[in-house]
Amino acid sequence: MHFASTLAWAYPVDQVVQLAKQSGLSGLEIWAEHVWFHGTDPNKIREANRDQSINLTMHAASWDLNISSLEKEIREGSVKQIRNSIKLADEIGADSITFHPGRLTLPQIKQEIYEAFMMESIFTLIETAKRYKKTLSIELMEVKTKEFVTAPEIMNRLIASFLPELKTTFDVAHISEGTPQQAFAQLINVDKVHVSDNSRAQLHVPLGMGILDRNMLNEFISINDLPVVVEGFDASESLNWWNHNLHYLKSLEMMKGVPQ
């Protein structure tokens, strides 16, 4: 089981790697912004995982970015930050990098224009990933204002030109239409699953603290042929969200052999 590093945002990522080891996790999805916020030397992260007991994946920069923006400088700046994330993944020893699709700048303008810009951006990103011998995975987003890559059929159509290089990341908490199981079955080329609970007011709350069906969550948590990443953001030093999710997994006997 993987945790997102943002569940321990208050701590530098090299310390979060050590925490993941102490918690008996098999992997950690490191957010690029987390590394940059703390100014952590990538070599310290690699050293913390010198025994390679933690499988590292990466979530590329996504905050304030839009790879399909109508503004050329914003679009190019967003691509640059994701390319920097790919470089960072190489420096710390992570092989798969999840990134977000573009969004609408103005909903009144035809979606085809945004799709064309996004395709140009993805082409550049894939070329960068190839140079570093890394895998890129684009995330299916939640239904909300300005997001348009929100359904499996849209995602499948958009990535068709980039197969088999471009993978997809499935996020259980992003599915509000139909069932997550149906959406997961429809999405092609999945290489990673994100899982968390949702409250009525917020996405990505700790497992078992929201409104999502427990049996459904447990079904995705039990997937063993893909990395499953427990997501969330906790900026406190208490590690409450980290510990709550760990306790939830232990209650399912997902973390056998880990001290209680």
Side-chain angles (χ1 to χ4, degrees), residues 62-73:
S62 61
W63 302 332
D64 299 325
L65 305 186
N66 184 4
I67 63 171
S68 64
S69 174
L70 294 180
E71 296 286 349
K72 182 179 180 181
E73 290 188 0

Side-chain angles (χ1 to χ4, degrees), residues 28 43 52 60 96 100 201 255:
L28 191 67
N43 290 326
Q52 297 185 332
S96 175
H100 284 187
M255 309 290 292

Side-chain angles (χ1 to χ4, degrees), residues 7 22 29 31 48 67 73 77 80 94 102 109 114 129 134 148-150 174 180 184 215 219 245-246 249:
L7 287 167
Q22 295 164 12
E29 181 145 294
W31 283 57
I67 63 171
E73 290 188 0
K80 180 181 178 180
I109 294 176
Y114 297 102
K134 302 298 177 184
F148 66 92
V149 187
T150 57
H174 286 175
F184 180 67
N215 291 330
E219 182 179 332
N245 283 318
L246 201 61
L249 295 174

Side-chain angles (χ1 to χ4, degrees), residues 104 110-119 122 138 140 147-163 166-168 186-189:
L104 308 177
K110 290 181 179 180
Q111 183 173 312
E112 290 84 354
I113 295 174
Y114 297 102
E115 291 185 6
F117 283 145
M118 187 170 71
M119 301 291 268
I122 292 174
I138 185 169
L140 187 68
E147 296 286 359
F148 66 92
V149 187
T150 57
E153 57 269 22
I154 297 174
M155 177 70 86
N156 294 344
R157 174 174 58 80
L158 290 174
I159 72 165
S161 300
F162 303 106
L163 296 175
L166 185 59
K167 308 293 184 180
T168 55
Q186 293 168 2
L187 192 64
I188 62 174
N189 226 25

